[in-house]
Amino acid sequence: MVNRDSSIVALSFFMLFLLVLHLHFETTIAARKPVRVFGPPSSIEWSPPSPTKDDIEWFEINIYKNIEQTAFRPTGQGPSQGIGHKDPPVFSSVFVIVSLSFIPPPHPFDPLTEIELNIVRNIINERYPVGPEHSHHHDAFVIARDHGKTREIVVDFASQAIVSEKIHVGNGYSMLTIDEQQATSELVLKFKPFCDSIRRRGLNVSEVVVTTSTMGWFGEAKPERLIKKRPFYLNGSVNTYLRPIEGMTIIVNLDQMKVTKFRDRFTSPLPNAKGTEFRISKLKPPFGPSLQNAVLFQSEGPGFKIDGHTNRWANWEFHMSFDVRAGLVISLASIFDMDVNKYRQVLYKGHLSEIFVTYMDPSEDWYFRTFFDCGEFGCGQYAVSLEPYTDCPGNAAFMDGVFASQDGTPIKITNVMCIFEKYAGDIMWRHTEIEIPGLKVRPDVSLVVRMVTTVGNYDYIVDYEFEPSGSIKIGVGLTGVLEVKPVEYVNTSEIKEDDIHGTIVADNTIGVNHDHFVTYRLDLDIDGTDNSFVRSELVTKRTPKSVNTPRKSYWTTKRKTAKTEAEARVKLGLKAEELVVVNPSRKTKHGNEVGYRLLHGQASEGPLLAQDDYPQIRAAFTNYNVWITPYNNTEVWASGLYADRSQGDDTLAVWSQRNRKIEKTDIVMWYTVGFHHVPCQEDFPTMPTLFGGFELRPTNFFEQNPVLKTKPIKLNTTPTCTARND
C-alpha cells in the first residue's frame, strides 16, 4: 500500500464525473428534522439543526468531464473494504455529497448554489492532502471510479482536506450525463462500419441523429457499463423519434469509450417524413380548432410571496428546490390553522423518485427498452426551461435550477420551475337552500408549482397543486412523441404477424405498446412525525331484522391500523377502502385522529409483466401502488441509488422485505401513478397530454371546513376595446 497522501496528491483526471448528492441535515424529535417554530404567518423562523454524519438525505447533482476519450464509470453498491494502490490512481468518475452547513444557507433545504458547487470542484481538482479527523459537520462525500474500482472519499470543507477513503463495490451504475451521451453519439457517427451501413441503405450520414438507450439487466453476473446507440434519420423532419433506422445493434463501452459491438442485420423500411412536422410555422392550412385568445391579469399582483426558495400563499407555506435526479422537490409544506393560530405540518418532503418505462416488444431491437428515467437519465438533468404564456400562464413567476456540469462548473437551467395561481372556473364550495333565497358559493383558486422534464421522446409535466382547503394535488402529464417501429405495411389488412406489439399510427409506422410508472416519495409528517397508516375497508352488511325497515343492506367501514410494512402494501382496485395517514397522538375535539387521506386517480394501473422477468425484478417497486416504510435517510430512490444496469437488489421492494414496524413512527408513503399505453392515431405525430395523479386531502385534520370563512374573490374581465370608424 502506498501512502494515502501521495495517492491523493497524484490524482490524474482523464475524465471527471462529480455526482453531488445534496445532503439535507435533519433532526427527529431528538435530532432529525429542522426545528420549526410554528406560529402565525408573521412569526415563522428556522433554527438550523446541528447535523451529524448519519443525519443525511441524498439528492444528486452530476458533474462530468471528458478530457481524453476515456469514459467515466460510476460506482455500484455493496460492502466496503480497505483501499491500497501501487500506482497513483487515474480517476474516471467522482461523486460528491455536500453538506449545506459549510456556508450556512438562508434555509436548510435550499439547493446548492453555484458558489458551493465551485467549492466542491476546486477541492477535488486541487487534490488537497489527507487531513486530520474532524467532526464531519462540513463534508463532501466523493465516489470516484479508479482503475475499475470505486473509491469513497470524504472531503472536509473546514480544513479543505480529504479525511478518509475506502473501496466500495456493488451492482449498478449511476445515471448517465448529457455530455457522455453526446460524446458516444459523435463516436458512432465517426465509426466507419456504421457510416458504411448508412450509405449502403442509401442514406446521408449528415442527416443521421444517434440517441442513447440503456442496456438494462438480463441476468448477467457482472454487467459492464455499456449503452446501446440508436440511429434516426431526419432528412425532411425535425421529429427525430418518428424515423428510426432499425436493424442495427450498436454497443458502446463507456469505460473504454469505444464501440465494442456493431451488427447490421437487415434494411427495414424507413417511415416517411411526411406528416411528422409539429412546428406551427411549418404547418399548412387549414388550422383548427379555433381557440379564443385569453389573458389573466391580477390587478393587485400575485397572491403568493417567494422569499428565497420559500413560498407563502393563502394559508400555505412550503419550500421549493431543484435536484438533478428528482427535479422539483417540495419540502416543509405546512398549512395555517386559524382555530389554533399556527402552522401545522403536512408534507416534510415530496418528489419524484423514479419513472419506469418499459416497451412491450420482445424482439432484438426492442427487448432492452426498459428505462428508469430518473435513475438512468436524471429527471432534473433533463428538465427544460419553461416558456412564459405557454408552459405557464401569464401570471406565473419563475425560478432557475443549478446543477454541476461534466467538469464541475455549475450549469443553470433558467425558468426550470414556475409558480402560478390557477383560476380554472372551479368551485371551492357552494350551497343553495330552496326555502331560503340566496346562493352561497366560493370560486376556487389554487397554487401550482410546475416542472417539465423531457427524457428522450416523452415530456413529463409535473405539477404540485395546493388548495386553500388543505388538499395537495400531485399530477403528471404525459406528452411528446411515441417510440415507433418501422414496418412494411400501411393498413391493418396487410398484417401477417400474430402480434405487431402496437398500433399502426401512420404509413409504415407502429406505435409500440408500453407502460409508464411514475413513483413519488412522500415523507408525510401529519401534525408531527409520529404517524400511522390506517386502512378502512368498506364492507357490505345485511340490515338486521331488528331495524324493521325495508332496507336490506348498507355498507360500513372496517378499520385496521397497519403495524408493519407488509400490512401497508396496497394494490388499488382490489377492494373499496379508505387509505389515511393519521397522527394518533393528535385528535380533534370530537375524538377523531387527525389525518390526511390518499385519493387515487384513474391512472392507478399495476404491472402486467411476469414477476420473474428481468425488467420487473428491477422495478419490483411497481408491484404495489402504495408502500409505507419507516423513515430512513438512505431510502430515497425507489430503484436504488445506482439504477443503471441494476439487478433489483437495492430497491423499495427489497427494503420493505424487512417488514419493519410503521405504527406511531416517522413514516414515508410511496405512491405510483401507472399508465398502460396502447397507442392510437391521435398520438401521432405528437401526443395530446394524458394526465394522471392523486390527491392528499385533509381528513379530520381541521375542526371544520377550513375555507368556510374565505371571502369571495373578485373575478373581473378585461374591458373589450372596439375600434370605431369615424
Side-chain angles (χ1 to χ4, degrees):
M1 293 180 63
V2 298
N3 181 278
R4 290 169 66 187
D5 287 358
S6 62
S7 70
I8 297 297
V9 173
L11 293 181
S12 173
F13 286 85
F14 281 157
M15 177 167 293
L16 174 66
F17 179 91
L18 290 174
L19 179 61
V20 181
L21 300 180
H22 186 170
L23 303 195
H24 302 298
F25 289 127
E26 302 180 341
T27 59
T28 54
I29 295 178
R32 183 194 37 116
K33 298 181 176 178
V35 179
R36 175 68 183 277
V37 179
F38 292 94
S42 59
S43 65
I44 302 163
E45 295 181 0
W46 285 97
S47 177
S50 298
T52 67
K53 187 176 180 182
D54 293 330
D55 296 328
I56 293 173
E57 183 123 11
W58 299 50
F59 285 93
E60 306 179 10
I61 296 179
N62 275 3
I63 306 172
Y64 162 91
K65 186 174 184 179
N66 183 1
I67 298 176
E68 305 212 4
Q69 293 303 312
T70 304
F72 88 90
R73 182 174 183 178
T75 165
Q77 279 184 246
S80 299
Q81 56 185 333
I83 180 170
H85 292 280
K86 294 183 179 179
D87 300 308
V90 179
F91 281 84
S92 59
S93 66
V94 178
F95 306 85
V96 180
I97 298 175
V98 179
S99 154
L100 286 184
S101 60
F102 171 55
I103 298 176
H107 189 290
F109 283 173
D110 280 359
L112 295 175
T113 65
E114 294 177 74
I115 293 175
E116 289 168 321
L117 289 175
N118 277 320
I119 289 171
V120 175
R121 176 176 178 264
N122 291 337
I123 290 176
I124 298 298
N125 283 335
E126 292 296 327
R127 304 151 196 175
Y128 285 91
V130 173
E133 291 297 321
H134 65 305
S135 62
H136 297 290
H137 284 185
H138 315 302
D139 292 344
F141 179 58
V142 182
I143 302 175
R145 191 68 180 172
D146 166 27
H147 289 95
K149 296 182 179 180
T150 299
R151 297 174 64 191
E152 297 183 351
I153 304 170
V154 176
V155 177
D156 176 38
F157 277 122
S159 62
Q160 297 196 0
I162 294 171
V163 295
S164 72
E165 59 175 295
K166 60 183 179 181
I167 292 289
H168 181 77
V169 295
N171 294 320
Y173 303 102
S174 191
M175 65 189 194
L176 308 175
T177 68
I178 294 173
D179 298 279
E180 66 175 342
Q181 293 177 67
Q182 292 174 343
T184 55
S185 294
E186 293 172 5
L187 183 69
V188 170
L189 288 169
K190 295 177 182 178
F191 187 63
K192 187 177 183 303
F194 171 78
C195 295
D196 291 343
S197 287
I198 292 295
R199 295 188 186 100
R200 279 196 299 270
R201 292 173 180 242
L203 306 179
N204 189 340
V205 176
S206 64
E207 293 291 331
V208 175
V209 173
V210 180
T211 66
T212 300
S213 279
T214 48
M215 293 278 291
W217 173 72
F218 294 89
E220 305 94 326
K222 294 183 179 180
E224 297 178 276
R225 191 161 190 267
L226 308 174
I227 57 173
K228 285 194 175 183
K229 304 298 291 188
R230 294 189 288 134
F232 297 82
Y233 199 59
L234 297 180
N235 197 34
S237 175
V238 295
N239 208 333
T240 302
Y241 288 93
L242 294 185
R243 303 201 73 200
I245 304 171
E246 293 219 347
M248 289 187 183
T249 298
I250 311 165
I251 298 178
V252 176
N253 187 305
L254 288 171
D255 282 337
Q256 302 170 12
M257 191 55 79
K258 70 177 184 181
V259 178
T260 57
K261 182 177 181 179
F262 176 79
R263 185 160 61 106
D264 189 356
R265 298 187 303 283
F266 62 91
T267 302
S268 60
L270 188 67
N272 200 302
K274 183 179 179 181
T276 63
E277 184 61 70
F278 58 85
R279 295 169 296 179
I280 190 67
S281 62
K282 301 294 183 180
L283 297 175
K284 297 179 180 180
F287 296 101
S290 296
L291 301 174
Q292 289 294 99
N293 294 329
V295 61
L296 176 60
F297 175 70
Q298 294 177 283
S299 59
E300 299 177 356
F304 57 86
K305 181 181 179 181
I306 299 175
D307 181 9
H309 288 265
T310 298
N311 195 327
R312 298 182 180 93
W313 172 79
N315 48 354
W316 279 103
E317 177 189 295
F318 56 89
H319 183 273
M320 307 167 293
S321 62
F322 177 78
D323 173 75
V324 73
R325 182 162 174 173
L328 174 61
V329 179
I330 300 294
S331 304
L332 302 166
S334 302
I335 190 166
F336 188 74
D337 187 344
M338 292 188 302
D339 290 337
V340 294
N341 197 37
K342 71 175 184 179
Y343 277 92
R344 299 171 64 190
Q345 297 168 285
V346 178
L347 177 66
Y348 183 71
K349 186 171 294 178
H351 59 83
L352 279 176
S353 183
E354 191 55 86
I355 301 177
F356 175 53
V357 183
T358 181
Y359 285 83
M360 298 300 147
D361 186 337
S363 65
E364 180 71 18
D365 280 320
W366 283 81
Y367 78 91
F368 58 89
R369 301 190 196 193
T370 56
F371 305 118
F372 294 101
D373 283 346
C374 292
E376 293 174 336
F377 296 96
C379 290
Q381 180 175 232
Y382 277 89
V384 299
S385 295
L386 301 175
E387 293 290 332
Y389 301 101
T390 51
D391 284 317
C392 309
N395 63 330
F398 294 81
M399 295 185 69
D400 301 334
V402 178
F403 67 97
S405 70
Q406 62 178 352
D407 67 351
T409 55
I411 292 271
K412 179 184 289 186
I413 306 176
T414 59
N415 296 354
V416 75
M417 64 182 83
C418 70
I419 306 97
F420 59 91
E421 287 168 291
K422 178 180 175 182
Y423 299 81
D426 295 329
I427 296 172
M428 181 184 292
W429 65 265
R430 77 177 314 283
H431 183 60
T432 301
E433 288 284 354
I434 297 176
E435 293 82 3
I436 304 174
L439 173 66
K440 306 301 179 185
V441 63
R442 297 292 185 272
D444 200 13
V445 183
S446 59
L447 185 74
V448 177
V449 186
R450 172 173 294 166
M451 175 197 78
V452 175
T453 180
T454 302
V455 187
N457 55 305
Y458 264 96
D459 298 59
Y460 296 96
I461 304 161
V462 181
D463 282 357
Y464 294 82
E465 184 174 357
F466 295 84
E467 305 236 349
S469 62
S471 285
I472 304 174
K473 295 179 179 178
I474 301 174
V476 58
L478 279 59
T479 181
V481 181
L482 294 172
E483 283 253 29
V484 300
K485 179 172 65 173
V487 291
E488 296 179 354
Y489 32 81
V490 298
N491 191 280
T492 56
S493 62
E494 304 170 30
I495 297 173
K496 300 180 179 63
E497 299 94 329
D498 293 334
D499 192 345
I500 63 171
H501 308 293
T503 306
I504 300 176
V505 295
D507 289 355
N508 308 116
T509 305
I510 287 178
V512 177
N513 300 331
H514 58 281
D515 290 332
H516 300 264
F517 295 104
V518 184
T519 300
Y520 291 85
R521 178 182 183 268
L522 305 163
D523 184 358
L524 294 166
D525 283 358
I526 305 302
D527 229 7
T529 57
D530 289 342
N531 291 176
S532 296
F533 182 61
V534 176
R535 305 177 65 168
S536 295
E537 184 180 357
L538 278 58
V539 294
T540 301
K541 294 277 190 178
R542 298 293 294 182
T543 304
K545 293 182 179 180
S546 59
V547 174
N548 197 27
T549 70
R551 281 288 298 272
K552 295 183 178 181
S553 65
Y554 66 99
W555 64 258
T556 188
T557 58
K558 183 180 179 182
R559 191 176 189 272
K560 181 181 179 181
T561 299
K563 298 184 181 299
T564 63
E565 292 176 274
E567 295 177 2
R569 299 171 194 150
V570 180
K571 290 185 179 181
L572 295 172
L574 298 183
K575 56 185 176 181
E577 62 180 335
E578 296 269 302
L579 306 175
V580 185
V581 175
V582 302
N583 187 329
S585 63
R586 303 290 177 88
K587 296 184 179 181
T588 65
K589 64 182 180 182
H590 299 299
N592 295 310
E593 295 174 342
V594 303
Y596 259 71
R597 178 176 14 173
L598 171 67
L599 297 179
H600 64 84
Q602 293 181 340
S604 57
E605 287 88 350
L608 298 176
L609 294 181
Q611 293 295 299
D612 63 346
D613 197 357
Y614 292 107
Q616 194 57 39
I617 292 172
R618 300 174 68 211
F621 56 88
T622 64
N623 288 342
Y624 295 90
N625 301 96
V626 180
W627 306 71
I628 303 291
T629 61
Y631 174 86
N632 184 311
N633 56 20
T634 67
E635 297 175 359
V636 176
W637 311 111
S639 57
L641 179 59
Y642 303 106
D644 182 34
R645 310 224 68 191
S646 61
Q647 300 183 21
D649 56 355
D650 182 34
T651 68
L652 169 61
V654 173
W655 310 331
S656 182
Q657 288 177 5
R658 287 175 281 179
N659 203 23
R660 295 161 291 186
K661 294 181 179 180
I662 56 170
E663 187 179 14
K664 295 182 180 179
T665 189
D666 195 356
I667 58 177
V668 175
M669 174 183 287
W670 308 75
Y671 183 85
T672 295
V673 180
F675 302 85
H676 296 310
H677 189 179
V678 179
C680 59
Q681 288 184 232
E682 289 81 358
D683 296 333
F684 187 92
T686 58
M687 174 182 160
T689 301
L690 175 64
F691 197 83
F694 58 100
E695 179 179 348
L696 300 172
R697 186 180 180 91
T699 300
N700 300 316
F701 188 82
F702 299 101
E703 293 294 344
Q704 63 173 2
N705 180 357
V707 290
L708 179 69
K709 298 181 181 179
T710 299
K711 294 181 179 180
I713 60 173
K714 295 180 180 179
L715 291 175
N716 299 320
T717 58
T718 56
T720 301
C721 299
T722 305
R724 293 189 306 174
N725 295 322
D726 296 330

